Amino acid sequence: MISNNYKLTKTKILSGLQCHKKLWYDFHQQISKDNHSIHIGNRFGEEVKKKYQVGYGKFKDFTGPFDSTKVKDTEEAINSDNINVIFEGAFIYLDTLIRADVLIRKKNGWELLEAKSSTKLKSEYIEDIAIQSFIVKKCGVNLTSIKLIHINKDFIYEGGDNYEDLINDTNDITSKVILKEKEVSSYIKDLIPLAVEKKSPNISMGDHCNNPHTCDYQSRCKAIEPKTNITSYEILPWCPKKLKKYCLEKKIKDLQKVPTDLLVSQREGYVQDYHKIIQAAHKCNKPWFSPDLKNAIKEFNFPYYFMDFEYVNQGVPIIKGTQPYYRLPFQWSVHKWESIDKKIKPSDEKPFLEFDDQDIERRFVESLLKAVGENGTIFAHNAGPVEISILKKLKEKDNCKHLVDKIDKLIERTVDTQVLVGENFYHPKMNGKYKLKEIIKAIPSDVSYEEKDNIAGGTEAQLAWFILTDNKTLKNEKELQKKLLTDYCAKDTLALYYLVKHLMDSYV
DNA sequence: AAGCTTCTTAGAATTACGAG
DNA sequence: CTCGTAATTCTAAGAAGCTT
C-alpha cells in the first residue's frame, strides 16, 4: 500500500533527535541557510552518480524536488526487470519520506548506498542510514547490504575530470545499521506530534545546540533565554571537563564563584594561568595587559604588514595537484603601515582574488611576496594554523618550488596576533574569545562586522568560492560575491591594524 | 567539511602483593 | 614460582573547541 502523504523526512527526524525544538522550528518557521558543506555534498553527489551510471546496466535518476509520482515510479523501477541502479528513489512509510542516494540491484535483492562527503564513517551516520533502510525495507524491498560511500582523503586530482579514485565505497555497515533499525519506529512516533503542536517545546540551550550539527535557530533560542548579569564560567576558552563537572555538581554558574585555585588549565599561545587572568579581568571589569607586552612590541619592525588569507576546503578538488579538503588559498589582502607617523593603506600590489585557475597557487604566492616586500613585521591572526600552514604546504607544490626560500623568509617575519593577544592582553568585552571579530569589539576601531548582507566569517568566504566556481551562477551574482569577498578580507586586515595599534598605544 | 592542539578517557601494560 | 586481583602507569584514540 503506497501513500503519497508524509509529515516527516529523514532530515526532520535527525533534527528531532538532536533537539525537539529544532524540529518544531523545521515544522513551523523553517529557515534553510545555504552553506558550503551543502555545495561540497552536491559536487560529491555528482561524481557518485557518474560512477554508478556506467557498468551496472540501466539506471533511473529521480533527483530533484519531491513530487507524488516519484514514489510510484521508484516502486516500478524496483519491480522492473531491467533497471539495475536507482538514484534518489523515494519511499514513504509511517508518514515519513526518505530518498535513497543509490540503490543497486543484487542477486536476491538490493544494495543501499548512502553518500557522505566526509572522509570517514561517523557514528551519527548509522542512525541516519538506519532510518532509510528501515523505511525502504518496510516498503517491501529486500535490502541485502548497506554501504557508506565517502571521500577518499588521499586522492590527488590529476586533471581531466578523472575522479575515479575519489570515491571510497568499501565501507560495509550492514550489521551496524540493522542494530539501529529497531529504534526507528519509536523515533517516528515520538516526533510526529510536533507537527501539530501549537507551542514550541520548552528546551534550554546546551551542548546539543551544536552536536552533531550546528543548529540554525540558535539566535531564536538565545533571544528567549532568561537574561542574567552574571558572567558564566562557560566563557572560559578550553574550559576543562573536570571544571565543568565540578561547577555542575556545585551548581556554580558565576565565573567569580569558581575557586581560583581550580583554574589551572594551561595552553600554548596563552599566558600562564590565563583562566585566572580572565576571571580577574571580569571581576574588576578592566582590561589586562601583560608586563611583557612592551618587550614583545620592541621586536616588531616597520614597515608593518597586515595579512589575511581566505582558503577553501574543496571536497571534490578542481585544481590539478590538490587533494580533498586541502586548504586551497584563493584570496589574500595586505595592508601596509609604513611608519608610526604615516597612515595605514592597502598594499601597493593589488589584492589577490582568483577561484579556479589551474595555476592559482603559484599566482597567489608570487603576488603575495610582492605585496609584503622584503622587510618588516607581518601580522596575521591565527597565523599558525592558517597562513603559515598554507604557506608551508605551498612550498611542496611543483609550481611553487622556486619560491621556497622566499616563502621561508615570509614565514619568519610573521607574528601571530592571536598568540600575541593570548599572551599579553585580555578585555572583559572579549567574553573569553580570542578571535579577531571578538577582540575588535573590545578596542577602539571603525571596523564593524555587524553590517547586514555581508560576509560574516571564514565559512561564508568558502561559500562565496563555491558560488563563484559554480557555472550555474549568473554574472551579476558573481560580481556581487567578488565585491563582498574583497570588502571582507580587507576588513580583516584593517581590524588587525587597529588591534596592533591599540596594544602599542597602551604603552605610550 | 577539515586541520590543529590539548584534554579526556578507555583499555592495555606494568607493577605490587598476598596466597597457594 | 605462578596465579589472581587490584592499583598504578602508559598509550593511543577520540572529543572538544578554535579556525577557515
Side-chain angles (χ1 to χ4, degrees):
Chain A
M1 194 49 198
I2 290 184
S3 159
N4 281 321
N5 298 315
Y6 67 93
K7 292 182 183 135
L8 277 174
T9 60
K10 181 196 78 178
T11 313
K12 282 205 169 71
I13 294 178
L14 293 175
S15 258
L17 290 177
Q18 182 168 341
C19 171
H20 281 204
K21 199 169 178 181
K22 184 173 187 232
L23 174 59
W24 189 86
Y25 277 130
D26 282 345
F27 276 131
H28 299 96
Q29 300 164 38
Q30 188 165 37
I31 44 171
S32 38
K33 277 191 194 162
D34 196 7
N35 71 40
H36 74 289
S37 30
I38 293 172
H39 290 259
I40 294 176
N42 289 344
R43 288 188 184 183
F44 183 55
E46 293 288 311
E47 297 309 323
V48 169
K49 250 197 268 176
K50 274 189 211 160
K51 173 164 180 174
Y52 294 102
Q53 279 172 7
V54 215
Y56 292 85
K58 260 187 129 180
F59 68 87
K60 273 265 179 189
D61 186 359
F62 296 110
T63 303
F66 175 78
D67 68 70
S68 52
T69 60
K70 288 195 170 167
V71 177
K72 203 174 118 269
D73 293 346
T74 302
E75 196 195 20
E76 260 172 37
I78 294 273
N79 294 330
S80 74
D81 48 14
N82 60 343
I83 305 290
N84 289 337
V85 180
I86 300 171
F87 299 109
E88 296 289 333
F91 300 87
I92 294 179
Y93 178 76
L94 286 180
D95 287 327
T96 304
L97 166 71
I98 67 102
R99 305 287 293 273
D101 283 348
V102 188
L103 283 162
I104 299 177
R105 189 186 292 278
K106 297 278 159 180
K107 263 184 201 152
N108 304 313
W110 291 78
E111 178 168 74
L112 171 71
L113 297 104
E114 166 74 7
K116 295 280 183 207
S117 55
S118 74
T119 56
K120 54 176 181 272
L121 171 65
K122 294 189 174 176
S123 54
E124 68 256 32
Y125 295 164
I126 301 298
E127 232 160 34
D128 177 314
I129 299 168
I131 297 167
Q132 302 179 48
S133 69
F134 170 79
I135 287 175
V136 171
K137 282 178 182 173
K138 288 291 183 184
C139 288
V141 180
N142 182 26
L143 278 189
T144 50
S145 56
I146 301 163
K147 272 185 181 170
L148 174 74
I149 305 177
H150 63 87
I151 288 181
N152 166 21
K153 206 174 128 190
D154 300 325
F155 171 74
I156 300 172
Y157 178 55
E158 299 293 0
D161 262 342
N162 181 2
Y163 289 107
E164 217 172 293
D165 296 333
L166 172 70
I167 296 163
N168 181 326
D169 58 2
T170 58
N171 214 332
D172 192 306
I173 48 173
T174 313
S175 53
K176 284 183 186 163
V177 170
I178 286 173
L179 286 175
K180 273 271 169 195
E181 281 172 4
K182 295 185 206 97
E183 295 166 41
V184 176
S185 62
S186 70
Y187 296 163
I188 295 172
K189 269 175 212 139
D190 288 348
L191 298 175
I192 277 189
L194 287 164
V196 292
E197 185 65 49
K198 294 249 161 51
K199 273 174 69 185
S200 74
N202 182 20
I203 295 168
S204 47
M205 294 183 78
D207 292 344
H208 59 276
C209 296
N210 291 297
N211 189 9
H213 300 289
T214 305
C215 174
D216 285 337
Y217 304 120
Q218 291 187 52
S219 56
R220 293 176 184 173
C221 289
K222 207 175 257 171
I224 56 169
E225 287 271 295
K227 288 210 169 72
T228 57
N229 294 324
I230 60 156
T231 304
S232 163
Y233 70 90
E234 285 164 315
I235 67 153
L236 292 173
W238 307 102
C239 183
K241 253 199 182 157
K242 256 187 201 166
L243 187 66
K244 276 187 189 168
K245 214 169 154 188
Y246 174 87
C247 291
L248 222 62
E249 276 167 13
K250 301 258 172 183
K251 299 215 163 80
I252 295 175
K253 190 93 196 191
D254 189 347
L255 173 58
Q256 299 308 326
K257 295 227 168 82
V258 179
T260 304
D261 54 326
L262 290 182
L263 301 176
V264 291
S265 189
Q266 298 300 330
R267 182 162 285 258
E268 202 172 297
Y270 296 87
V271 64
Q272 182 88 16
D273 285 328
Y274 68 119
H275 282 175
K276 285 180 186 165
I277 285 168
I278 292 173
Q279 190 190 42
H282 281 274
K283 189 173 186 182
C284 58
N285 198 25
K286 273 184 195 157
W288 168 83
F289 293 92
S290 91
D292 297 330
L293 180 56
K294 204 172 189 172
N295 293 327
I297 290 171
K298 271 188 199 154
E299 301 284 314
F300 305 157
N301 301 306
F302 278 106
Y304 289 178
Y305 292 93
F306 304 95
M307 176 175 83
D308 185 40
F309 293 1
E310 305 300 326
Y311 68 79
V312 63
N313 289 137
Q314 304 167 92
V316 178
I318 63 169
I319 308 293
K320 215 174 153 180
T322 62
Q323 291 174 259
Y325 298 110
Y326 163 82
R327 292 175 172 191
L328 178 74
F330 66 87
Q331 178 177 28
W332 59 251
S333 162
V334 171
H335 268 80
K336 186 177 181 181
W337 191 15
E338 202 97 36
S339 62
I340 193 92
D341 52 327
K342 292 226 174 96
K343 272 201 172 159
I344 177 100
K345 57 167 194 168
S347 64
D348 303 329
E349 184 75 12
K350 204 173 137 251
F352 183 88
L353 180 60
E354 290 188 11
F355 307 103
D356 50 10
D357 189 300
Q358 290 299 308
D359 213 14
I360 185 169
E361 294 172 312
R362 181 182 61 81
R363 297 165 63 86
F364 177 93
V365 196
E366 276 181 354
S367 59
L368 176 70
L369 287 166
K370 275 186 205 161
V372 297
E374 308 253 305
N375 303 299
T377 304
I378 301 166
F379 296 94
H381 203 70
N382 196 30
V386 181
E387 280 77 9
I388 290 176
S389 88
I390 285 175
L391 287 167
K392 281 182 178 166
K393 283 258 166 70
L394 289 180
K395 277 165 57 182
E396 297 162 14
K397 292 302 173 86
D398 286 339
N399 54 358
C400 300
K401 281 235 164 89
H402 60 296
L403 300 166
V404 167
D405 292 346
K406 287 182 177 169
I407 294 174
D408 278 334
K409 277 184 191 144
L410 197 168
I411 292 174
E412 267 171 45
R413 288 163 57 201
T414 303
V415 167
D416 186 339
T417 49
Q418 185 170 304
V419 175
L420 183 68
V421 172
E423 291 177 343
N424 297 289
F425 177 65
Y426 183 77
H427 192 293
K429 279 190 186 158
M430 283 159 61
N431 224 17
K433 301 203 166 62
Y434 289 81
K435 64 164 98 165
L436 188 55
K437 286 166 195 64
E438 299 292 330
I439 301 170
I440 213 71
K441 287 182 196 162
I443 64 174
S445 85
D446 56 13
V447 177
S448 166
Y449 288 97
E450 314 273 287
E451 290 155 40
K452 283 257 159 74
D453 296 328
N454 254 345
I455 286 177
T459 39
E460 289 180 36
Q462 294 204 40
L463 174 58
W465 182 88
F466 276 98
I467 294 171
L468 280 153
T469 53
D470 187 337
N471 48 27
K472 289 196 281 293
T473 307
L474 300 172
K475 210 175 172 188
N476 290 352
E477 176 67 15
K478 282 192 179 177
E479 290 309 315
L480 172 67
Q481 291 292 330
K482 273 190 199 172
K483 195 186 170 302
L484 291 177
L485 277 173
T486 308
D487 292 349
Y488 169 67
C489 199
K491 193 186 272 187
D492 264 1
T493 49
L494 201 57
L496 220 43
Y497 156 75
Y498 283 108
L499 167 58
V500 172
K501 190 170 185 309
H502 181 65
L503 295 179
M504 292 168 75
D505 287 349
S506 64
Y507 271 96
V508 173

